[in-house]
Amino acid sequence: MAPTPPNQALTSGFLPWLGARTKGPDAPLDPWGTSLRNTKRTVAWMTAIRDGQPIPLDADRSKEQAVIDMKALAGLVSGYHNNNLALTPVGTVVLQTWQDEGLVGESDGEEVARCIHLIRHVFLHGVEATAALGCNVDYRGMYARWIRLRQLQPPHYWWQSVEHAQLPSYLDWTDLNGYNPWSELVEKTSGDVGTVAQWQSWAGSVVPEAAGVTDLLARIRGNHRLGGSRDFRQALECIYLAEFDPASLSDTLTRWGVPT
């Protein structure tokens, strides 16, 4: 039997939820924002900061944003681009690990590996020590949410499209009426969010929810990229396998081209 499509699973409470919802992902599964969607650029930035050099970007505004992004990612730096800019202890160990492991390239496999080390070091050092630097990302919460997702559907299900990657993050928010569309989807479809075509058809239909669904899909497409979302989720999956299924980890790393 085919799963219930989302426009049938999400019933009367969804319309007011759409009107009340916050604009960002309230239960994120990755730490990326609109200006930083992977760790690739941070390698050069952090290397320059460690070596006492300016961030290799042309405009002061871009340098300021780079500092904001590195703080928000994991409290990797302290100070400002033109005043006392330095790597934090977490930033220092993350960069050293990336460089010691030769993870300075642009392949997806290297990105997955960098994310693995980033997550591990945040786990080890804790974000509490860096919260004052602007890092409010709950890495342990993301890992716990990933474990719940992979129990609902196979891991690859959650990176087949940017919508599949991000819909759980956006839908898992409870409004003042106690309505949570993600909980309803899990109950009715075991977490099957449906197809992209079904969501697009819903957005293009003549129903009260159409405008809200259109805005939701536009925010996901506008603010997220599948590559960064997929790579971070694959890193979470590798950490999960190392903890709970180590026998399958080696093959998984090879299949995804992750350096070992």
Side-chain angles (χ1 to χ4, degrees):
M1 180 181 296
T4 304
N7 65 325
Q8 295 179 24
L10 300 176
T11 52
S12 58
F14 193 50
L15 179 58
W17 181 92
L18 284 167
R21 73 176 179 85
T22 57
K23 300 306 181 183
D26 286 275
L29 281 148
D30 62 59
W32 313 125
T34 56
S35 58
L36 186 68
R37 292 170 168 144
N38 54 57
T39 66
K40 295 173 186 177
R41 294 191 296 165
T42 65
V43 177
W45 298 346
M46 295 167 68
T47 300
I49 293 167
R50 182 198 60 192
D51 296 343
Q53 301 298 317
I55 296 174
L57 294 169
D58 294 333
D60 280 351
R61 184 174 180 179
S62 298
K63 295 177 183 178
E64 291 170 1
Q65 186 62 51
V67 172
I68 291 170
D69 289 339
M70 287 184 285
K71 288 180 178 180
L73 178 59
L76 300 175
V77 300
S78 60
Y80 303 90
H81 87 91
N82 57 0
N83 184 20
N84 297 324
L85 183 61
L87 297 182
T88 63
V90 173
T92 298
V93 71
V94 166
L95 177 62
Q96 190 64 54
T97 301
W98 287 349
Q99 293 183 329
D100 288 348
E101 299 293 330
L103 303 173
V104 296
E106 297 190 356
S107 72
D108 287 335
E110 288 174 287
E111 176 65 13
V112 173
R114 282 195 298 269
C115 288
I116 291 172
H117 290 297
L118 174 67
I119 296 164
R120 287 181 60 251
H121 284 302
V122 171
F123 280 4
L124 289 171
H125 297 280
V127 295
E128 294 84 359
T130 57
L133 301 172
C135 177
N136 296 309
V137 179
D138 181 7
Y139 277 72
R140 291 193 179 276
M142 287 190 291
Y143 181 53
R145 286 191 286 275
W146 173 249
I147 291 176
R148 290 195 292 270
L149 281 184
R150 70 179 311 286
Q151 291 170 341
L152 294 170
Q153 301 290 340
H156 61 81
Y157 178 90
W158 300 112
W159 58 71
Q160 62 180 292
S161 73
V162 70
E163 288 83 3
H164 285 82
Q166 296 297 337
L167 276 168
S169 300
Y170 279 78
L171 295 174
D172 193 5
W173 175 73
T174 304
D175 66 15
L176 292 178
N177 296 317
Y179 182 80
N180 183 304
W182 177 244
S183 296
E184 188 166 19
L185 270 178
V186 170
E187 179 181 350
K188 293 182 177 179
T189 72
S190 297
D192 189 324
V193 300
T195 67
V196 176
Q198 286 172 330
W199 282 91
Q200 291 173 338
S201 177
W202 194 3
S205 63
V206 185
V207 295
E209 302 88 9
V213 171
T214 297
D215 181 69
L216 175 62
L217 296 179
R219 288 187 178 278
I220 289 174
R221 282 278 172 174
N223 295 334
H224 304 276
R225 297 294 180 269
L226 180 58
S229 297
R230 179 200 60 229
D231 293 341
F232 195 85
R233 284 155 181 70
Q234 288 184 341
L236 292 172
E237 176 66 4
C238 289
I239 291 172
Y240 172 86
L241 294 177
E243 185 173 4
F244 295 106
D245 188 13
S248 68
L249 179 60
S250 179
D251 287 345
T252 300
L253 295 172
T254 300
R255 187 169 68 253
W256 292 342
V258 181
T260 57

